[in-house]
């Protein structure tokens, strides 16, 4: 009669298998400071290749997957959409041939950011003017009868 094999999730055998063949989704999430749901989402959006599974159904990820998730996170932090990140991932495989395409993506992104900055500056100017109207009305109320908020009245007539 043989001894029972200790191969459960918390066993030494399982831990050894994981070290040689990959890490689970929870560990990937921990190493990349993302949530498990985010990693699954990246898989659904095909930004991350579908991970192979153990016989027990656990996803197994590699160091390449860690690097890719970190790349996705970095590009997202720079303001790239998931669609654009997908393009960049595809371009990464082309290495040298990708430079011109990457340049075009970056030029477009810089143009978008500059347009957003102009819009934010316009919005800031408008809000500062509205704030000044409120300050003026509140100062007026110290000596006179209160009037309706000039900003709200102006919005109603626009």
């Amino acid at each position: 009669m043989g001894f029972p094999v200790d191969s459960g999730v918390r066993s030494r055998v399982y831990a050894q298998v994981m070290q040689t063949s990959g890490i689970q989704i929870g560990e990937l999430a921990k190493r990349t400071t993302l949530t498990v749901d985010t990693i699954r989402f990246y898989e659904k959006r095909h930004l991350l290749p579908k991970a192979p599974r153990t016989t027990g159904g656990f996803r197994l990820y590699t160091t390449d997957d860690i690097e890719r998730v970190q790349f996705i996170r970095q590009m997202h932090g720079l303001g790239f959409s998931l669609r654009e990140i997908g393009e960049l991932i595809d371009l990464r495989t082309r290495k040298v041939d990708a430079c011109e395409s990457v340049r075009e993506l970056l030029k477009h992104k810089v143009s978008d950011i500059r347009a957003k900055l102009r819009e934010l500056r316009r919005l800031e100017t408008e809000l500062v003017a509205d704030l000044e109207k409120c300050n003026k009305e509140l100062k007026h109320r110290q000596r006179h009868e209160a009037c309706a908020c000039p900003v709200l009245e102006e919005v109603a007539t626009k």
Side-chain angles (χ1 to χ4, degrees):
M1 184 166 139
F3 296 101
V5 176
D6 178 21
S7 61
V9 175
R10 303 226 188 277
S11 73
R12 287 175 294 206
V13 171
Y14 186 81
Q16 184 61 37
V17 169
M18 291 306 296
Q19 287 175 351
T20 58
S21 63
I23 61 169
Q24 288 185 26
I25 195 167
E27 182 63 23
L28 178 61
K30 184 177 170 184
R31 289 187 190 186
T32 58
T33 66
L34 294 171
T35 66
V36 168
D37 288 339
T38 300
I39 293 166
R40 287 183 185 133
F41 177 75
Y42 289 162
E43 272 189 14
K44 285 178 190 164
R45 296 292 303 264
H46 306 290
L47 296 173
L48 190 60
K50 219 166 189 34
R53 293 182 181 255
T54 65
T55 53
F58 295 103
R59 288 175 170 98
L60 293 178
Y61 296 92
T62 65
T63 53
D64 288 343
D65 295 324
I66 294 169
E67 182 184 312
R68 182 179 281 211
V69 169
Q70 289 170 334
F71 176 80
I72 293 167
R73 193 165 181 236
Q74 181 182 7
M75 294 301 104
H76 198 259
L78 290 173
F80 287 95
S81 70
L82 295 180
R83 182 192 55 74
E84 292 167 328
I85 293 169
E87 288 179 47
L88 288 168
I89 289 170
D90 290 342
L91 289 169
R92 282 181 91 189
T93 61
R94 297 196 331 220
K95 307 266 186 220
V96 175
D97 296 334
C99 198
E100 192 171 323
S101 298
V102 170
R103 182 185 68 171
E104 289 306 309
L105 262 172
L106 291 172
K107 281 171 52 178
H108 186 74
K109 184 54 66 183
V110 168
S111 176
D112 288 349
I113 288 170
R114 287 179 177 155
K116 285 178 185 176
L117 283 169
R118 283 190 300 275
E119 178 61 20
L120 285 170
R121 285 187 193 107
R122 186 199 60 76
L123 181 60
E124 178 188 30
T125 300
E126 194 173 315
L127 290 172
V128 166
D130 286 346
L131 182 60
E132 186 55 38
K133 290 173 191 171
C134 285
N135 288 339
K136 204 174 199 178
E137 171 57 26
L138 291 172
K139 196 177 268 188
H140 177 265
R141 288 181 184 186
Q142 291 173 352
R143 290 172 273 143
H144 302 90
E145 190 175 318
C147 296
C149 176
V151 175
L152 295 178
E153 291 298 307
E154 206 174 277
V155 170
T157 61
K158 281 187 180 181

